[in-house]
């Protein structure tokens, strides 16, 4: 039997063999009072969820986890935590492999998607965030092929246990940066790892397809594009292709 992974000080591991979705389980635990740093990890999910209502194939072999955070902030600031997660995932990639973050929260290795991130916030009536569940699916052993995937998958390699240790350490490190310095440091780290400015990208906004040159990300986490019709600021959409 493998030893339980070691988590950062103050974190709590909830290890499950199988669950519907670790995000749902973490939300349930958060509602019941679980503290920040509760890390729900399942060997497999039977109802793994991706962004935009997609499913996330979750057989044994990859990492499926959700971290409970209690950031004491407003909803727009909580959305910054998806970028915190992307940096923690990107830091796991070693051996000189090309790693790139892709707006809003994807991480690509050698051009293939290695992780998906699904942050979900619970907002109180006063607009204050009660908790955030930071869901991360990481391709450790294999890259599931999904019909809706627009580009290939990639794998991290190594073991799930070592990925748990590296990921939680990275999350703790980047969360401390976010708390101490705010979004500016996170944004700078994200832009360092993003595609080149000026790269041609397509963004799907509902039924509309916007084509433009990647012009960065602003202080609110919105994607910036230069289009033939002028600058565009995009708060919600899907970036197609690999460029940024
Ligand atoms: C994406 O669509 O890119 C986001 C995928 C997020 C998948 C992870 S796996 C762990 C957690 N539990 C879920 O049901 N989804 C997230």
């Amino acid at each position: 039997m493998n030893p339980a992974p070691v988590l950062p000080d103050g974190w709590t591991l909830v290890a499950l063999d199988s669950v519907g979705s670790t995000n749902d389980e973490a939300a349930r635990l958060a509602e019941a009072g679980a503290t920040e740093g509760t890390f729900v990890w399942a060997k497999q999910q039977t109802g793994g969820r991706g962004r935009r209502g997609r499913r996330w194939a979750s057989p044994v072999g990859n990492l499926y986890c959700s971290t409970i955070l209690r950031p004491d902030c407003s909803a727009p600031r909580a959305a910054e935590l998806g970028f915190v997660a992307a940096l923690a995932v990107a830091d796991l990639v070693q051996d000189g492999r090309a790693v790139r973050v892709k707006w809003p929260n994807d991480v690509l290795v050698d051009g293939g998607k290695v992780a998906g991130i699904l942050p979900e916030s619970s907002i109180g009536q006063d607009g204050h965030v009660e908790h955030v569940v930071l869901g991360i699916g990481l391709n450790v052993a294999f890259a599931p092929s999904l019909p809706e995937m627009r580009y290939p998958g990639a794998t991290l390699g190594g073991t799930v246990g070592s990925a748990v240790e590296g990921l939680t350490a990275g999350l703790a490190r980047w969360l401390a940066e976010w708390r101490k310095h705010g979004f500016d440091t996170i944004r700078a780290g994200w832009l360092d790892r993003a595609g080149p400015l000026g790269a041609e990208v397509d963004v799907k906004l509902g039924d509309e397809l916007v084509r433009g040159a990647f012009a960065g990300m602003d202080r609110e986490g919105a994607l910036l594009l230069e289009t033939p019709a002028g600058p565009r600021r995009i708060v919600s959409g899907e970036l197609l292709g690999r460029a940024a």
Side-chain angles (χ1 to χ4, degrees), residues 21-23 45 47-51 56 64-66 106 113 116-118 135-137:
S21 156
T22 55
N23 266 32
Q45 298 182 117
R49 296 188 283 109
R51 295 173 63 231
W56 186 260
Y64 316 107
C65 62
S66 302
D106 284 344
K113 176 162 167 163
I117 295 169
L118 186 63
I136 302 175

Short mmCIF file of all heavy atoms in Angstrom, two decimals, residues 21-23 45 47-51 56 64-66 106 113 116-118 135-137, ligand 1:
data_model
loop_
_atom_site.label_atom_id
_atom_site.label_comp_id
_atom_site.label_asym_id
_atom_site.label_seq_id
_atom_site.Cartn_x
_atom_site.Cartn_y
_atom_site.Cartn_z
N SER A 21 -18.75 13.51 -7.91
CA SER A 21 -17.87 14.62 -8.28
C SER A 21 -17.21 15.14 -7.00
O SER A 21 -17.90 15.41 -6.01
CB SER A 21 -18.69 15.74 -8.94
OG SER A 21 -18.03 16.98 -8.80
N THR A 22 -15.88 15.29 -7.03
CA THR A 22 -15.21 15.82 -5.82
C THR A 22 -15.67 17.26 -5.54
O THR A 22 -15.69 17.68 -4.39
CB THR A 22 -13.67 15.79 -5.98
OG1 THR A 22 -13.31 16.50 -7.17
CG2 THR A 22 -13.13 14.37 -6.04
N ASN A 23 -16.04 18.01 -6.59
CA ASN A 23 -16.55 19.37 -6.33
C ASN A 23 -17.84 19.33 -5.52
O ASN A 23 -18.03 20.12 -4.60
CB ASN A 23 -16.81 20.11 -7.65
CG ASN A 23 -15.62 20.94 -8.08
OD1 ASN A 23 -14.48 20.58 -7.81
ND2 ASN A 23 -15.87 22.04 -8.78
N GLN A 45 -14.11 9.30 -10.42
CA GLN A 45 -15.39 10.00 -10.30
C GLN A 45 -16.38 9.35 -11.26
O GLN A 45 -16.02 9.03 -12.40
CB GLN A 45 -15.26 11.47 -10.67
CG GLN A 45 -14.31 12.28 -9.80
CD GLN A 45 -14.29 13.75 -10.22
OE1 GLN A 45 -14.66 14.62 -9.46
NE2 GLN A 45 -13.87 14.02 -11.43
N GLY A 47 -19.31 10.97 -11.90
CA GLY A 47 -20.03 12.08 -12.54
C GLY A 47 -19.16 13.32 -12.57
O GLY A 47 -19.63 14.42 -12.23
N GLY A 48 -17.91 13.16 -13.02
CA GLY A 48 -16.98 14.29 -13.07
C GLY A 48 -17.52 15.37 -13.99
O GLY A 48 -18.00 15.08 -15.08
N ARG A 49 -17.43 16.63 -13.55
CA ARG A 49 -18.00 17.74 -14.33
C ARG A 49 -16.90 18.65 -14.84
O ARG A 49 -15.93 18.93 -14.14
CB ARG A 49 -18.95 18.57 -13.46
CG ARG A 49 -20.17 17.80 -13.01
CD ARG A 49 -21.17 18.69 -12.31
NE ARG A 49 -20.78 19.02 -10.94
CZ ARG A 49 -20.37 20.22 -10.56
NH1 ARG A 49 -20.30 21.21 -11.42
NH2 ARG A 49 -20.04 20.45 -9.30
N GLY A 50 -17.04 19.11 -16.10
CA GLY A 50 -16.13 20.09 -16.66
C GLY A 50 -16.82 21.43 -16.78
O GLY A 50 -17.96 21.60 -16.33
N ARG A 51 -16.15 22.39 -17.39
CA ARG A 51 -16.75 23.69 -17.61
C ARG A 51 -17.85 23.57 -18.65
O ARG A 51 -17.88 22.66 -19.46
CB ARG A 51 -15.69 24.70 -18.08
CG ARG A 51 -14.64 24.97 -17.01
CD ARG A 51 -13.51 25.84 -17.53
NE ARG A 51 -13.98 27.14 -17.93
CZ ARG A 51 -13.73 27.71 -19.12
NH1 ARG A 51 -13.01 27.08 -20.01
NH2 ARG A 51 -14.20 28.90 -19.40
N TRP A 56 -16.38 15.27 -17.38
CA TRP A 56 -14.93 15.12 -17.28
C TRP A 56 -14.67 13.64 -17.00
O TRP A 56 -14.97 13.14 -15.92
CB TRP A 56 -14.39 15.98 -16.14
CG TRP A 56 -12.89 16.02 -16.04
CD1 TRP A 56 -12.11 15.30 -15.17
CD2 TRP A 56 -11.97 16.79 -16.83
NE1 TRP A 56 -10.79 15.58 -15.37
CE2 TRP A 56 -10.67 16.50 -16.39
CE3 TRP A 56 -12.13 17.71 -17.87
CZ2 TRP A 56 -9.54 17.09 -16.94
CZ3 TRP A 56 -11.00 18.29 -18.43
CH2 TRP A 56 -9.73 17.98 -17.96
N TYR A 64 -8.15 13.60 -9.43
CA TYR A 64 -9.41 14.36 -9.34
C TYR A 64 -9.50 14.91 -7.93
O TYR A 64 -9.53 14.12 -6.97
CB TYR A 64 -10.62 13.45 -9.64
CG TYR A 64 -10.36 12.56 -10.83
CD1 TYR A 64 -10.12 11.19 -10.67
CD2 TYR A 64 -10.28 13.10 -12.12
CE1 TYR A 64 -9.82 10.39 -11.76
CE2 TYR A 64 -9.98 12.30 -13.21
CZ TYR A 64 -9.76 10.95 -13.02
OH TYR A 64 -9.45 10.16 -14.09
N CYS A 65 -9.50 16.22 -7.79
CA CYS A 65 -9.48 16.77 -6.44
C CYS A 65 -10.19 18.12 -6.39
O CYS A 65 -10.36 18.79 -7.40
CB CYS A 65 -8.04 16.93 -5.97
SG CYS A 65 -7.08 18.07 -6.98
N SER A 66 -10.61 18.46 -5.18
CA SER A 66 -11.27 19.75 -4.95
C SER A 66 -10.82 20.27 -3.60
O SER A 66 -10.89 19.55 -2.60
CB SER A 66 -12.79 19.58 -4.95
OG SER A 66 -13.22 19.03 -6.18
N ASP A 106 -7.02 26.89 -18.31
CA ASP A 106 -6.43 25.63 -18.78
C ASP A 106 -4.91 25.66 -18.65
O ASP A 106 -4.30 26.72 -18.65
CB ASP A 106 -6.79 25.38 -20.24
CG ASP A 106 -8.22 24.90 -20.41
OD1 ASP A 106 -8.83 24.48 -19.40
OD2 ASP A 106 -8.74 24.95 -21.53
N LYS A 113 -3.76 19.63 -23.58
CA LYS A 113 -4.36 20.01 -22.28
C LYS A 113 -4.00 18.96 -21.23
O LYS A 113 -4.31 17.78 -21.41
CB LYS A 113 -5.88 20.13 -22.45
CG LYS A 113 -6.62 20.43 -21.15
CD LYS A 113 -8.02 20.96 -21.44
CE LYS A 113 -8.89 20.97 -20.20
NZ LYS A 113 -10.08 21.81 -20.33
N GLY A 116 -7.72 20.44 -16.21
CA GLY A 116 -8.88 21.31 -16.28
C GLY A 116 -9.19 21.79 -14.87
O GLY A 116 -8.99 21.06 -13.90
N ILE A 117 -9.65 23.03 -14.78
CA ILE A 117 -9.88 23.65 -13.47
C ILE A 117 -11.32 24.15 -13.42
O ILE A 117 -11.78 24.80 -14.36
CB ILE A 117 -8.86 24.80 -13.26
CG1 ILE A 117 -7.45 24.19 -13.19
CG2 ILE A 117 -9.19 25.60 -12.02
CD1 ILE A 117 -6.33 25.20 -13.26
N LEU A 118 -12.00 23.83 -12.35
CA LEU A 118 -13.41 24.22 -12.21
C LEU A 118 -13.62 24.85 -10.84
O LEU A 118 -13.93 24.17 -9.87
CB LEU A 118 -14.30 22.97 -12.37
CG LEU A 118 -15.81 23.18 -12.39
CD1 LEU A 118 -16.22 24.02 -13.60
CD2 LEU A 118 -16.55 21.84 -12.41
N GLY A 135 -11.86 22.93 -8.03
CA GLY A 135 -11.77 21.57 -8.58
C GLY A 135 -10.68 21.49 -9.63
O GLY A 135 -10.58 22.37 -10.50
N ILE A 136 -9.88 20.45 -9.56
CA ILE A 136 -8.79 20.27 -10.53
C ILE A 136 -8.77 18.82 -10.99
O ILE A 136 -8.77 17.89 -10.18
CB ILE A 136 -7.41 20.63 -9.93
CG1 ILE A 136 -7.41 22.08 -9.42
CG2 ILE A 136 -6.29 20.42 -10.95
CD1 ILE A 136 -6.15 22.51 -8.70
N GLY A 137 -8.78 18.64 -12.30
CA GLY A 137 -8.59 17.31 -12.89
C GLY A 137 -7.26 17.33 -13.62
O GLY A 137 -7.04 18.18 -14.49
C1 LIG B 1 -12.62 21.77 -17.58
O1 LIG B 1 -13.69 21.62 -18.21
O2 LIG B 1 -11.57 22.02 -18.16
C2 LIG B 1 -12.62 21.67 -16.08
C3 LIG B 1 -12.57 20.24 -15.62
C4 LIG B 1 -12.51 20.10 -14.12
C5 LIG B 1 -12.51 18.66 -13.69
C6 LIG B 1 -12.29 18.50 -12.20
S1 LIG B 1 -11.97 16.84 -11.75
C7 LIG B 1 -12.13 17.25 -10.07
C8 LIG B 1 -13.28 18.21 -9.96
N1 LIG B 1 -14.54 17.49 -9.84
C9 LIG B 1 -15.32 17.66 -10.90
O3 LIG B 1 -16.45 17.16 -11.07
N2 LIG B 1 -14.73 18.47 -11.78
C10 LIG B 1 -13.44 18.94 -11.30
#
